[in-house]
Amino acid sequence: MKINIWKYSLLLLLSVGVGCKKDFLNKYPLDQITTVDFWKTGNDLKLYVNQFYPAAFNQPMGDQLNGDFAADAQSDDVGLVIANPRLQGSRVVPATGGWGYTNIRALNVFMANYDKVEDPFNSYKDYVGEAYFFRAFFYFNLVKEYGDVPYIGTPLNTNSEELYMPRAPRNQVVDSIIADLDEAIELLPAGKQEGATRLSREIALLFKSRVCLYEGTWEKYHVEDEFKVDNPQPQKYLELAAQSAKAVIESGTYAVYSTGEPEWDYFNLFSRVDYATNPEVLLWEKFDLSLKKGNAFQFQIATGKSGGIGLTRSFVDAYLCKDGRPIYLSNGAENPLYEGDGTLEKTAANRDPRFTQTIFTPGFPLQAVGSDTTYFQRPTVADPAHTRCPTGYQMNKFLNFDPVHHASLETLPVGYTGWIVFRYAEALLNYAEAKAELGTITQQDIDMSINRLRNRVAMPPLDIAAIEEDPNWQFPDLTPVLNEIRRERRVELILEGFRWNDLARWAAAEKTLVGKRPLGAKFNTTDYPDLNASDFTLTDGYFDPLKSQLPGGYGFRPDRDYLSPVSTEELTLNKQLVQNPGW
């Protein structure tokens, strides 16, 4: 790989390609590239950091289990046509691959060279802030996947001793991530940038709250298992999480999207082609028909398909009734709001309006062209695997009714509805959870966070002094307010890539996964008059799509599967590396 190739690649906006196949063996002297004809202007820095936007945020174009969907597919919220390897407990130590330091090394090159720019610092400091953010982002992905990882903050060459350094403790890496985010917060501009398509100070604050909430709860709940850290300081991180989320809230820049239509506002939030002026969206990804850039999963949703995934009964049961009470407390003679789960219509009746704005029910609009509307008929439980809804609870979240935005015979079968990367609702949920974990939450905190989300869908506000005990709380050993905040997070953020990370940081697999089955809806002749129960795998009348693959329920191993294994190749190349627990 020649240095002049790198220079031309950068200048032509092609992939910088600063990586190599073996992250800890073949290290090129990347800190010496482009010293002559690059790093001259602030625009050079902008061109350099542009590459990290698709690397960090791009939603893949495939139609099955991609991006955020794939992340949630490792949780108890999603049922699949093929068992997820982590949930099945079938993963093995890979021979090669892993770590993935390519982007981090490219960012270290940036850090070593940006001060060579001759323009005034204030004219390009935004891009330095972006680089700090992205380095934090990629390191956080490594920590979530592997825990302890080698921390490298400078460009390396083939003789660098750091190539053979041991893994740094995860909390030390997180402290470095926080330091980078603090730099980003200082340097990035406030408010929406370029129509909410570039990073801002509030995005860095939101991400800092995510990182700190993750590490704080990880250290709190993994305190006695194989994944604990030495000298845990959960309170430190939880306080930082609350402070950072509150800063986003108090910035006054963002708000919960609402037009006063509680039966549609949550749904409509995710069905837009453009989010430049949406008050809830901090960052989004644009899909463009003219560039044939889109997302095939959106196309599946818009044509009544499901891409091989469905939501689970466990998730659906989390929705409260419209009176704010759990289904098992709203089914008595005095207040029989819950009508059971005999049919989709009954299951959805009298529930939190987010139910029907997330899950298809018969008669829900599918496509609308003028006065001509096509309606959803029934879940695709009998479709081929790649379009099937294996659980009978089929998602309508992210649907756009206008077929112009999700298909064209002259282009690819993809969707063009915009994809939200960061939204304000997460700041509200992070703040509430951090305060509850600290034991300092007040009704005022709930009103400025959880109840703003409930107000959008006209749900009764959460009153922390009057929470009824739900006999089916997933975490009965925790406080009532934590249970309800976790419920709210689960419902509000479904299919946005949070659930697996939440279960991991809460050390919650034993309560939510181990030995349990990913059941779906109940088979019935009302929803499926043309189908026979004998054609499906059922358990107690409920769709059980993975019964043959998971005969004993989820095979997740709590002593091993919270983290991924380090490849044999990496362990061979660097004798100071140690394998993760259980592998």
PDB file of all heavy atoms in Angstrom, residues 62-87:
ATOM      1  N   GLY A  62     -29.915  -3.924   3.249  1.00  0.00           N
ATOM      2  CA  GLY A  62     -30.507  -5.250   3.203  1.00  0.00           C
ATOM      3  C   GLY A  62     -31.902  -5.293   3.792  1.00  0.00           C
ATOM      4  O   GLY A  62     -32.338  -4.391   4.490  1.00  0.00           O
ATOM      5  N   ASP A  63     -32.613  -6.380   3.528  1.00  0.00           N
ATOM      6  CA  ASP A  63     -34.021  -6.427   3.931  1.00  0.00           C
ATOM      7  C   ASP A  63     -34.272  -7.284   5.157  1.00  0.00           C
ATOM      8  O   ASP A  63     -35.405  -7.486   5.548  1.00  0.00           O
ATOM      9  CB  ASP A  63     -34.884  -6.942   2.769  1.00  0.00           C
ATOM     10  CG  ASP A  63     -34.582  -8.395   2.415  1.00  0.00           C
ATOM     11  OD1 ASP A  63     -33.608  -8.946   2.910  1.00  0.00           O
ATOM     12  OD2 ASP A  63     -35.344  -8.955   1.610  1.00  0.00           O
ATOM     13  N   GLN A  64     -33.254  -7.819   5.795  1.00  0.00           N
ATOM     14  CA  GLN A  64     -33.507  -8.723   6.908  1.00  0.00           C
ATOM     15  C   GLN A  64     -32.443  -8.561   7.989  1.00  0.00           C
ATOM     16  O   GLN A  64     -31.251  -8.693   7.735  1.00  0.00           O
ATOM     17  CB  GLN A  64     -33.517 -10.181   6.424  1.00  0.00           C
ATOM     18  CG  GLN A  64     -33.984 -11.163   7.498  1.00  0.00           C
ATOM     19  CD  GLN A  64     -34.056 -12.574   6.944  1.00  0.00           C
ATOM     20  OE1 GLN A  64     -33.418 -12.873   5.961  1.00  0.00           O
ATOM     21  NE2 GLN A  64     -34.828 -13.418   7.571  1.00  0.00           N
ATOM     22  N   LEU A  65     -32.872  -8.217   9.194  1.00  0.00           N
ATOM     23  CA  LEU A  65     -32.012  -8.224  10.372  1.00  0.00           C
ATOM     24  C   LEU A  65     -30.792  -7.321  10.240  1.00  0.00           C
ATOM     25  O   LEU A  65     -29.698  -7.669  10.640  1.00  0.00           O
ATOM     26  CB  LEU A  65     -31.548  -9.665  10.659  1.00  0.00           C
ATOM     27  CG  LEU A  65     -32.656 -10.691  10.820  1.00  0.00           C
ATOM     28  CD1 LEU A  65     -32.070 -12.041  11.151  1.00  0.00           C
ATOM     29  CD2 LEU A  65     -33.671 -10.295  11.872  1.00  0.00           C
ATOM     30  N   ASN A  66     -30.988  -6.136   9.675  1.00  0.00           N
ATOM     31  CA  ASN A  66     -29.875  -5.211   9.524  1.00  0.00           C
ATOM     32  C   ASN A  66     -29.936  -4.092  10.544  1.00  0.00           C
ATOM     33  O   ASN A  66     -30.988  -3.740  11.061  1.00  0.00           O
ATOM     34  CB  ASN A  66     -29.876  -4.608   8.115  1.00  0.00           C
ATOM     35  CG  ASN A  66     -29.239  -5.529   7.097  1.00  0.00           C
ATOM     36  OD1 ASN A  66     -28.268  -6.196   7.381  1.00  0.00           O
ATOM     37  ND2 ASN A  66     -29.800  -5.568   5.905  1.00  0.00           N
ATOM     38  N   GLY A  67     -28.774  -3.491  10.785  1.00  0.00           N
ATOM     39  CA  GLY A  67     -28.713  -2.292  11.589  1.00  0.00           C
ATOM     40  C   GLY A  67     -29.352  -2.444  12.956  1.00  0.00           C
ATOM     41  O   GLY A  67     -29.074  -3.380  13.700  1.00  0.00           O
ATOM     42  N   ASP A  68     -30.223  -1.496  13.308  1.00  0.00           N
ATOM     43  CA  ASP A  68     -30.848  -1.506  14.615  1.00  0.00           C
ATOM     44  C   ASP A  68     -31.749  -2.722  14.802  1.00  0.00           C
ATOM     45  O   ASP A  68     -31.917  -3.214  15.919  1.00  0.00           O
ATOM     46  CB  ASP A  68     -31.672  -0.228  14.817  1.00  0.00           C
ATOM     47  CG  ASP A  68     -30.765   0.997  14.926  1.00  0.00           C
ATOM     48  OD1 ASP A  68     -29.603   0.834  15.329  1.00  0.00           O
ATOM     49  OD2 ASP A  68     -31.224   2.100  14.598  1.00  0.00           O
ATOM     50  N   PHE A  69     -32.360  -3.206  13.730  1.00  0.00           N
ATOM     51  CA  PHE A  69     -33.174  -4.410  13.851  1.00  0.00           C
ATOM     52  C   PHE A  69     -32.337  -5.582  14.344  1.00  0.00           C
ATOM     53  O   PHE A  69     -32.759  -6.373  15.183  1.00  0.00           O
ATOM     54  CB  PHE A  69     -33.808  -4.773  12.507  1.00  0.00           C
ATOM     55  CG  PHE A  69     -34.685  -3.694  11.932  1.00  0.00           C
ATOM     56  CD1 PHE A  69     -34.357  -3.062  10.757  1.00  0.00           C
ATOM     57  CD2 PHE A  69     -35.845  -3.308  12.584  1.00  0.00           C
ATOM     58  CE1 PHE A  69     -35.161  -2.074  10.237  1.00  0.00           C
ATOM     59  CE2 PHE A  69     -36.656  -2.317  12.069  1.00  0.00           C
ATOM     60  CZ  PHE A  69     -36.312  -1.694  10.894  1.00  0.00           C
ATOM     61  N   ALA A  70     -31.114  -5.685  13.808  1.00  0.00           N
ATOM     62  CA  ALA A  70     -30.241  -6.782  14.206  1.00  0.00           C
ATOM     63  C   ALA A  70     -29.860  -6.686  15.669  1.00  0.00           C
ATOM     64  O   ALA A  70     -29.750  -7.699  16.358  1.00  0.00           O
ATOM     65  CB  ALA A  70     -28.992  -6.797  13.321  1.00  0.00           C
ATOM     66  N   ALA A  71     -29.666  -5.463  16.162  1.00  0.00           N
ATOM     67  CA  ALA A  71     -29.325  -5.295  17.572  1.00  0.00           C
ATOM     68  C   ALA A  71     -30.467  -5.770  18.462  1.00  0.00           C
ATOM     69  O   ALA A  71     -30.262  -6.483  19.448  1.00  0.00           O
ATOM     70  CB  ALA A  71     -28.995  -3.835  17.859  1.00  0.00           C
ATOM     71  N   ASP A  72     -31.694  -5.386  18.132  1.00  0.00           N
ATOM     72  CA  ASP A  72     -32.841  -5.822  18.935  1.00  0.00           C
ATOM     73  C   ASP A  72     -33.129  -7.306  18.759  1.00  0.00           C
ATOM     74  O   ASP A  72     -33.782  -7.918  19.609  1.00  0.00           O
ATOM     75  CB  ASP A  72     -34.085  -5.013  18.563  1.00  0.00           C
ATOM     76  CG  ASP A  72     -34.143  -3.682  19.309  1.00  0.00           C
ATOM     77  OD1 ASP A  72     -33.306  -3.470  20.206  1.00  0.00           O
ATOM     78  OD2 ASP A  72     -35.016  -2.859  19.002  1.00  0.00           O
ATOM     79  N   ALA A  73     -32.651  -7.906  17.670  1.00  0.00           N
ATOM     80  CA  ALA A  73     -32.873  -9.335  17.447  1.00  0.00           C
ATOM     81  C   ALA A  73     -32.114 -10.194  18.440  1.00  0.00           C
ATOM     82  O   ALA A  73     -32.337 -11.402  18.510  1.00  0.00           O
ATOM     83  CB  ALA A  73     -32.472  -9.714  16.020  1.00  0.00           C
ATOM     84  N   GLN A  74     -31.223  -9.578  19.233  1.00  0.00           N
ATOM     85  CA  GLN A  74     -30.511 -10.309  20.283  1.00  0.00           C
ATOM     86  C   GLN A  74     -31.223 -10.184  21.626  1.00  0.00           C
ATOM     87  O   GLN A  74     -30.629 -10.412  22.671  1.00  0.00           O
ATOM     88  CB  GLN A  74     -29.080  -9.780  20.411  1.00  0.00           C
ATOM     89  CG  GLN A  74     -28.260  -9.918  19.145  1.00  0.00           C
ATOM     90  CD  GLN A  74     -26.849  -9.405  19.316  1.00  0.00           C
ATOM     91  OE1 GLN A  74     -25.980 -10.085  19.851  1.00  0.00           O
ATOM     92  NE2 GLN A  74     -26.601  -8.191  18.873  1.00  0.00           N
ATOM     93  N   SER A  75     -32.499  -9.835  21.593  1.00  0.00           N
ATOM     94  CA  SER A  75     -33.222  -9.574  22.839  1.00  0.00           C
ATOM     95  C   SER A  75     -34.506 -10.382  22.916  1.00  0.00           C
ATOM     96  O   SER A  75     -34.868 -11.108  21.984  1.00  0.00           O
ATOM     97  CB  SER A  75     -33.549  -8.083  22.949  1.00  0.00           C
ATOM     98  OG  SER A  75     -34.658  -7.739  22.131  1.00  0.00           O
ATOM     99  N   ASP A  76     -35.217 -10.198  24.018  1.00  0.00           N
ATOM    100  CA  ASP A  76     -36.492 -10.883  24.222  1.00  0.00           C
ATOM    101  C   ASP A  76     -37.654 -10.184  23.536  1.00  0.00           C
ATOM    102  O   ASP A  76     -38.791 -10.633  23.652  1.00  0.00           O
ATOM    103  CB  ASP A  76     -36.787 -10.994  25.727  1.00  0.00           C
ATOM    104  CG  ASP A  76     -36.792  -9.635  26.423  1.00  0.00           C
ATOM    105  OD1 ASP A  76     -36.183  -8.676  25.902  1.00  0.00           O
ATOM    106  OD2 ASP A  76     -37.391  -9.513  27.512  1.00  0.00           O
ATOM    107  N   ASP A  77     -37.394  -9.109  22.815  1.00  0.00           N
ATOM    108  CA  ASP A  77     -38.463  -8.365  22.149  1.00  0.00           C
ATOM    109  C   ASP A  77     -38.768  -8.867  20.746  1.00  0.00           C
ATOM    110  O   ASP A  77     -39.831  -8.574  20.204  1.00  0.00           O
ATOM    111  CB  ASP A  77     -38.103  -6.875  22.055  1.00  0.00           C
ATOM    112  CG  ASP A  77     -38.236  -6.163  23.384  1.00  0.00           C
ATOM    113  OD1 ASP A  77     -38.759  -6.771  24.328  1.00  0.00           O
ATOM    114  OD2 ASP A  77     -37.828  -4.993  23.477  1.00  0.00           O
ATOM    115  N   VAL A  78     -37.831  -9.593  20.149  1.00  0.00           N
ATOM    116  CA  VAL A  78     -37.933  -9.953  18.734  1.00  0.00           C
ATOM    117  C   VAL A  78     -37.847 -11.461  18.568  1.00  0.00           C
ATOM    118  O   VAL A  78     -36.999 -12.119  19.178  1.00  0.00           O
ATOM    119  CB  VAL A  78     -36.824  -9.256  17.913  1.00  0.00           C
ATOM    120  CG1 VAL A  78     -36.796  -9.771  16.485  1.00  0.00           C
ATOM    121  CG2 VAL A  78     -37.030  -7.741  17.921  1.00  0.00           C
ATOM    122  N   GLY A  79     -38.733 -11.997  17.739  1.00  0.00           N
ATOM    123  CA  GLY A  79     -38.681 -13.396  17.345  1.00  0.00           C
ATOM    124  C   GLY A  79     -38.252 -13.496  15.898  1.00  0.00           C
ATOM    125  O   GLY A  79     -38.635 -12.672  15.069  1.00  0.00           O
ATOM    126  N   LEU A  80     -37.469 -14.500  15.571  1.00  0.00           N
ATOM    127  CA  LEU A  80     -36.872 -14.637  14.250  1.00  0.00           C
ATOM    128  C   LEU A  80     -37.275 -15.943  13.587  1.00  0.00           C
ATOM    129  O   LEU A  80     -37.791 -16.851  14.234  1.00  0.00           O
ATOM    130  CB  LEU A  80     -35.345 -14.596  14.372  1.00  0.00           C
ATOM    131  CG  LEU A  80     -34.742 -13.500  15.247  1.00  0.00           C
ATOM    132  CD1 LEU A  80     -33.248 -13.734  15.388  1.00  0.00           C
ATOM    133  CD2 LEU A  80     -35.009 -12.150  14.639  1.00  0.00           C
ATOM    134  N   VAL A  81     -36.999 -16.025  12.295  1.00  0.00           N
ATOM    135  CA  VAL A  81     -37.176 -17.297  11.606  1.00  0.00           C
ATOM    136  C   VAL A  81     -35.959 -18.196  11.818  1.00  0.00           C
ATOM    137  O   VAL A  81     -36.037 -19.412  11.659  1.00  0.00           O
ATOM    138  CB  VAL A  81     -37.424 -17.088  10.093  1.00  0.00           C
ATOM    139  CG1 VAL A  81     -38.763 -16.423   9.860  1.00  0.00           C
ATOM    140  CG2 VAL A  81     -36.302 -16.268   9.457  1.00  0.00           C
ATOM    141  N   ILE A  82     -34.813 -17.593  12.177  1.00  0.00           N
ATOM    142  CA  ILE A  82     -33.595 -18.338  12.474  1.00  0.00           C
ATOM    143  C   ILE A  82     -33.069 -17.826  13.806  1.00  0.00           C
ATOM    144  O   ILE A  82     -32.950 -16.614  14.006  1.00  0.00           O
ATOM    145  CB  ILE A  82     -32.527 -18.149  11.380  1.00  0.00           C
ATOM    146  CG1 ILE A  82     -33.055 -18.628  10.030  1.00  0.00           C
ATOM    147  CG2 ILE A  82     -31.237 -18.874  11.743  1.00  0.00           C
ATOM    148  CD1 ILE A  82     -32.118 -18.371   8.873  1.00  0.00           C
ATOM    149  N   ALA A  83     -32.739 -18.711  14.710  1.00  0.00           N
ATOM    150  CA  ALA A  83     -32.318 -18.302  16.049  1.00  0.00           C
ATOM    151  C   ALA A  83     -31.048 -17.462  15.999  1.00  0.00           C
ATOM    152  O   ALA A  83     -30.099 -17.775  15.275  1.00  0.00           O
ATOM    153  CB  ALA A  83     -32.093 -19.534  16.922  1.00  0.00           C
ATOM    154  N   ASN A  84     -31.044 -16.386  16.770  1.00  0.00           N
ATOM    155  CA  ASN A  84     -29.846 -15.567  16.894  1.00  0.00           C
ATOM    156  C   ASN A  84     -28.762 -16.365  17.622  1.00  0.00           C
ATOM    157  O   ASN A  84     -29.029 -16.968  18.665  1.00  0.00           O
ATOM    158  CB  ASN A  84     -30.179 -14.300  17.672  1.00  0.00           C
ATOM    159  CG  ASN A  84     -28.969 -13.432  17.911  1.00  0.00           C
ATOM    160  OD1 ASN A  84     -28.250 -13.624  18.878  1.00  0.00           O
ATOM    161  ND2 ASN A  84     -28.739 -12.484  17.027  1.00  0.00           N
ATOM    162  N   PRO A  85     -27.527 -16.383  17.101  1.00  0.00           N
ATOM    163  CA  PRO A  85     -26.481 -17.210  17.716  1.00  0.00           C
ATOM    164  C   PRO A  85     -26.213 -16.883  19.184  1.00  0.00           C
ATOM    165  O   PRO A  85     -25.964 -17.784  19.984  1.00  0.00           O
ATOM    166  CB  PRO A  85     -25.256 -16.926  16.841  1.00  0.00           C
ATOM    167  CG  PRO A  85     -25.834 -16.552  15.509  1.00  0.00           C
ATOM    168  CD  PRO A  85     -27.076 -15.783  15.826  1.00  0.00           C
ATOM    169  N   ARG A  86     -26.269 -15.592  19.558  1.00  0.00           N
ATOM    170  CA  ARG A  86     -26.014 -15.257  20.964  1.00  0.00           C
ATOM    171  C   ARG A  86     -27.113 -15.831  21.848  1.00  0.00           C
ATOM    172  O   ARG A  86     -26.847 -16.389  22.909  1.00  0.00           O
ATOM    173  CB  ARG A  86     -25.939 -13.737  21.145  1.00  0.00           C
ATOM    174  CG  ARG A  86     -25.504 -13.325  22.562  1.00  0.00           C
ATOM    175  CD  ARG A  86     -25.737 -11.839  22.808  1.00  0.00           C
ATOM    176  NE  ARG A  86     -24.935 -10.984  21.977  1.00  0.00           N
ATOM    177  CZ  ARG A  86     -23.741 -10.481  22.321  1.00  0.00           C
ATOM    178  NH1 ARG A  86     -23.222 -10.774  23.496  1.00  0.00           N
ATOM    179  NH2 ARG A  86     -23.087  -9.689  21.495  1.00  0.00           N
ATOM    180  N   LEU A  87     -28.373 -15.713  21.403  1.00  0.00           N
ATOM    181  CA  LEU A  87     -29.482 -16.229  22.190  1.00  0.00           C
ATOM    182  C   LEU A  87     -29.531 -17.746  22.170  1.00  0.00           C
ATOM    183  O   LEU A  87     -30.016 -18.379  23.103  1.00  0.00           O
ATOM    184  CB  LEU A  87     -30.800 -15.652  21.682  1.00  0.00           C
ATOM    185  CG  LEU A  87     -30.942 -14.126  21.732  1.00  0.00           C
ATOM    186  CD1 LEU A  87     -32.351 -13.708  21.382  1.00  0.00           C
ATOM    187  CD2 LEU A  87     -30.557 -13.584  23.102  1.00  0.00           C
TER     188      LEU A  87
END
